[in-house]
Amino acid sequence: MKKNVVLYKALSAPLMAKLAAETDVTSIPDPTSAEGLARLRDALPHAHGLLGASLRIDEPLLALAPQLQVVASVSVGVDKYDVAAFDRHGVLLTNTPDVLTETTADTGFALLMATARRVVELAGLVRHGQWHGSIGPAQFGTDVHGKTLGIVGMGRIGQALAQRGHFGFGMPVLYHSHRAKPSVDERFGARHCALHALLRDADFVCLTVPLTAETKGLIGAHELSLMKPSAILVNIARGPVVDEAALIDALQNGRLRGAGLDVFSQEPVATDSPLLRLDNVVPTPHIGSATQETREAMAACAVENLLAALRAERPKDLVNPQAWRG
Ligand code: NAP
């Protein structure tokens, strides 16, 4: 008999066909709406697998799904999942690393460039008919090439950023991670350092750490005060890694040149957030991996992981190997 899968993210036709060939699929496009939640609750008691993203899955939800074997997340970040609860229930959790690395690094660099060169602000000036002559110093941006790039979290995406900064823009690279990575030092001429030293010396600080208990609030008022007033913060990690109120304060009071933000403490960001009124902020709606090619590759990866787990094969991208009983 086919296993039951609850799908809470749209899939392309080929991926849907692949999934439906091996499983019975129940699609719940918006599991956070009242109607979607009710349908999810009905489906969970029979579900062997879940596939989707951005839905918090924790103890109460897992308790409704006694047959559940695997949750295949269409994301690399796993902060929405209570992994300890997954382990207690013997449910496998998979993610989609690697396939989104380059695209997310592209997004990081796009934000870095757009903030430094004030692309969005000045495009708005043109669009609104306020380009009356040659622009002057009040509209000048700041150079990117040759400046110091600081990367907090030198993992897959951090290294893809380092590659862009080092080879593309001749930037000296500093990084802060749990440990030094000699291969990274060698490839990108990078230097591992303490967080406070990175914040003090970098012209661009890019956050690429996962959101964990350890990284929540990692960049607060004190950390922001260590940064150069001419520096730019780029957050492509998760919103809660930064104390948003402290960031707003620093930006409003000229203690930071600007910020490129793909992620926020609350998403979608509140329309009355002061961040949206600041010209020196470039906000994007969590688009790190949002290209057609990469989202399709992520979905394909999640389908592979889910089907493998349901066939009792070890999935390639297992987040909690401790729950594997293969
Ligand atoms: P990864 O390869 O696991 O890299 C994460 C790095 O963070 C690791 O190298 C780790 O250092 C470091 N780290 C973890 N905790 C740290 C801490 N407390 N202090 C300093 N460094 C710490 O993950 P990835 O694939 O690069 O993805 C990183 C994160 O980016 C994801 O978890 C996700 O939240 C975010 N992301 C966002 C988007 C978006 O749309 N904006 C898209 C993709 C990913 P060690 O190696 O030394 O342990």
Side-chain angles (χ1 to χ4, degrees), residues 75-79 95-98 100-101 103-104 107 151-159 175-181 192 195 207-212 214-215 218 235-238 241 262-263 267 285-290 295 298:
S75 68
V76 66
V78 289
D79 44 286
N95 67 346
T96 62
D98 304 316
L100 48 55
T101 297
T103 296
T104 308
T107 304
I151 299 173
V152 181
M154 188 54 97
R156 290 169 290 243
I157 297 168
Q159 289 175 42
Y175 67 98
H176 173 67
S177 257
H178 285 127
R179 58 197 74 81
K181 297 173 193 290
H192 180 255
L195 181 61
L207 307 178
T208 54
V209 281
L211 175 60
T212 62
E214 197 190 1
T215 61
L218 184 69
N235 189 3
I236 51 168
R238 288 289 184 263
V241 172
D262 188 43
V263 289
E267 294 181 6
H286 203 140
I287 57 163
S289 62
R295 284 293 170 85
M298 289 165 69

Side-chain angles (χ1 to χ4, degrees), residues 210-273:
L211 175 60
T212 62
E214 197 190 1
T215 61
K216 188 167 183 218
L218 184 69
I219 305 298
H222 173 66
E223 288 70 27
L224 292 165
S225 76
L226 299 175
M227 290 176 66
K228 301 177 190 180
S230 58
I232 284 172
L233 181 74
V234 174
N235 189 3
I236 51 168
R238 288 289 184 263
V241 172
V242 176
D243 176 340
E244 210 164 85
L247 176 62
I248 291 166
D249 190 49
L251 289 164
Q252 283 176 333
N253 292 297
R255 280 184 272 109
L256 212 54
R257 182 190 294 272
L261 305 173
D262 188 43
V263 289
F264 299 85
S265 59
Q266 176 200 317
E267 294 181 6
V269 64
T271 51
D272 63 352
S273 167

